[in-house]
Amino acid sequence: MSKARKFVIARLFKGEPKVDDFSIEKEELPSLKNGQILCEAEYISVDPYQRAYTQRHKVGSTMIGSQVARIVESRSPEYPVGRHVVASLGWRDQTVMSVAPTDDDTLPPVLVPDLGDLPLSLALGVLGMPGATAYFGLLDICDPKPGEVVVVSGAAGAVGSIVGQIARIKGCKVIGIAGSDIKVKWLKEELGFDHAFNYKTVNVEKALKEAAPNGVDVYFDNVGGEQSSAVIANMRHRGRISVCGCISTYNATKVAMAPVVQMHMVGKELKMEGFIVTRWLGQWDKAFKEMAQWIKEGKLKYRETVTEGFENTPEAFIGMLRGENLGKAVVKV
Ligand SMILES: NC(=O)c1ccc[n+]([C@@H]2O[C@H](COP(=O)([O-])OP(=O)(O)OC[C@H]3O[C@@H](n4cnc5c(N)ncnc54)[C@H](OP(=O)(O)O)[C@@H]3O)[C@@H](O)[C@H]2O)c1
């Protein structure tokens, strides 16, 4: 029998999470029953939803999250030892799990396909949930056409950096909004964004008017709040807005306020739609195949911000919420 480590919530978050809001606990793992596997985490994903899903935070509960894990023991022939899975196991280093679907809303483990030379951690990033979010949230909801102007906020993050590049692949003019000059430089010089600016140092509305004097056709919204109101005020007639997230509010301790957008929505006949990426779960594979091909062809670039060591997972999470990541934030266990 082996002992697993897991991060539990020691104190409910107030505002920005703190390192001592988490504590590590050890746990005896049971012997395997039929239909179960023992997995060892190799990469743990730190994501904004882990802050936003406050209803799942209870003192003593295991911190939520997905991971890429190696199967080290198996009593399920479809999940052989040595293969890797992506699974929502939380911040744990070893887990015994059943491979059959459970009656809670946890997704069953998914075998990671052969990624060739690409790192396994991409199954948490561009070839995982954030990649699917970018792909379907942009293409299905906004249907961008060649020559259209696409704006993405949170542009240098896991989802945003992929959204902008897909829009470029589709022949759009792409404008990214991000929170540092290093991010802006990366978006323009390496990812081929047509324009990018730092929302912490420029007036978003003014910068947008300069970059897109005729207005914005598509807005992929990762952040919400004032930034998004400024973009929506600069949309063109029949523009489309994909509402992916609102990270500007996740740490808020009181109701966030932003300029009203309804007059723009009405006057310009805009369409705005929120989504949860699992809507397209049955089609994720198709998106990953296409994006893996784009990576091979050099059309789609990815970047990861890797924190080493299981015990540093809270720091990686807090750093991601603060904007310290370029591309996808992951922990190498
Ligand atoms: N709907 C879905 O199914 C779905 C799925 C996945 C993700 N999401 C959402 O997509 C968004 C991006 O997720 P991600 O995984 O790609 O995370 P990410 O962008 O890799 O990391 C979070 C980023 O948010 C930015 N940020 C933090 N505080 C901010 C603030 N007050 N205002 C503006 N930006 C702020 C930071 O970048 P800066 O340095 O630029 O500030 C930080 O790097 C989140 O809102 C997330 O909840 C939704």
Side-chain angles (χ1 to χ4, degrees), residues 48 133 157-159 179 183 199 222 244-245 247 250 275 277 320-321 323 325:
T133 302
V159 174
K183 292 183 178 186
Y199 69 88
N222 279 316
C244 176
I247 194 164
Y250 295 171
F275 69 92
V277 64
M320 176 277 300
L321 293 173
N325 59 308

Side-chain angles (χ1 to χ4, degrees), residues 142-185:
C142 296
D143 189 21
K145 309 274 189 321
E148 286 191 323
V149 175
V150 174
V151 172
V152 54
S153 53
V159 174
S161 61
I162 304 303
V163 168
Q165 293 183 83
I166 295 176
R168 288 282 301 146
I169 290 167
K170 298 293 172 187
C172 302
K173 174 175 163 176
V174 178
I175 302 170
I177 311 176
S180 78
D181 292 345
I182 289 174
K183 292 183 178 186
V184 165
K185 189 170 153 57

Side-chain angles (χ1 to χ4, degrees), residues 98-109:
S98 296
V99 297
T102 52
D103 46 13
D104 58 23
D105 60 357
T106 313
L107 300 174

